[in-house]
Amino acid sequence: MNEMKLIGLGTAYPGRLVTNDDLSLEMDTSDAWIYPRTGIHARRFCTAEESAVTLAIEAAGKALAEAEGQGVPASDIGAIVVASMSADLATPSIAAILQRELRLPEVPALDINAACSGFIYGLEVARSLAAVSGRRYALVVGTEQLSRLLSMEDRSTAILFGDGAGAAVIECTETAGNREEAA
């Protein structure tokens, strides 16, 4: 089994804060109804200038900077995996856009769509890609702009979702057991 270690983390929060009271102006709801059921008082929505891509770029940039502070340059990245069910475009992938915008190496770069579990799947896909690429590091990003997909008339879902991004640079190494089995 390969071990995985987080080397750098980054987040991006969009500019528009939407409180439960704000939602009560658009639908039949209130903070008193939402908060006990969800634990949510507010969520973030993208402004007109923000998107799943811009959030991913910001979060990835922060994760890469933190990794560089740990002695891992962006040039050591061996795979880029982005998890999103709300990509701005069908193609190019967000991962390919990150690769270009952040000047990352020409390595496997792909998006996956696995909804809420997407980031966990992204970590496993990145671990596998790093294992076959010969590089120890990978960039994994989860980014969503669900606000543009929500029906504000549907209080069962509109109260739950917002926009944002998180990113991690991971290091993948073999455990001692794997090295012994390979020998």
Side-chain angles (χ1 to χ4, degrees):
M1 170 72 79
N2 290 334
E3 291 183 350
M4 186 185 322
K5 181 179 176 183
L6 298 174
I7 303 297
L9 297 172
T11 57
Y13 303 100
R16 183 174 162 220
L17 181 68
V18 179
T19 67
N20 293 341
D21 291 333
D22 293 332
L23 291 180
S24 72
L25 301 174
E26 298 187 47
M27 66 180 77
D28 181 24
T29 194
S30 67
D31 185 64
W33 188 87
I34 297 171
Y35 182 73
R37 289 166 175 78
T38 66
I40 299 169
H41 282 299
R43 75 272 312 128
R44 297 279 183 155
F45 285 177
C46 287
T47 64
E49 298 79 32
E50 297 170 319
S51 69
V53 168
T54 63
L55 296 174
I57 291 169
E58 181 182 343
K62 290 176 181 177
L64 290 164
E66 188 171 295
E68 189 160 334
Q70 300 293 319
V72 179
S75 60
D76 284 355
I77 297 296
I80 305 158
V81 178
V82 175
S84 182
M85 61 177 277
S86 61
D88 303 345
L89 306 164
T91 189
S93 66
I94 296 173
I97 294 169
L98 286 178
Q99 191 172 36
R100 180 190 68 215
E101 294 297 314
L102 298 175
R103 298 187 169 134
L104 296 172
E106 291 186 20
V107 297
L110 60 104
D111 289 2
I112 61 170
N113 177 344
C116 296
S117 58
F119 194 82
I120 300 300
Y121 280 100
L123 288 170
E124 287 303 315
V125 169
R127 181 198 322 237
S128 297
L129 289 172
V132 298
S133 76
R135 296 185 184 207
R136 293 187 352 212
Y137 303 99
L139 173 65
V140 181
V141 180
T143 186
E144 298 294 354
Q145 186 186 0
L146 294 170
S147 63
R148 66 184 172 79
L149 304 176
L150 292 175
S151 167
M152 295 313 284
E153 292 80 43
D154 180 5
R155 126 174 136 167
S156 66
T157 57
I159 64 168
L160 296 175
F161 299 107
D163 306 335
V169 173
I170 60 169
E171 178 182 19
C172 304
T173 57
E174 288 187 50
T175 61
N178 280 351
R179 288 189 294 273
E180 292 168 6
E181 291 169 14

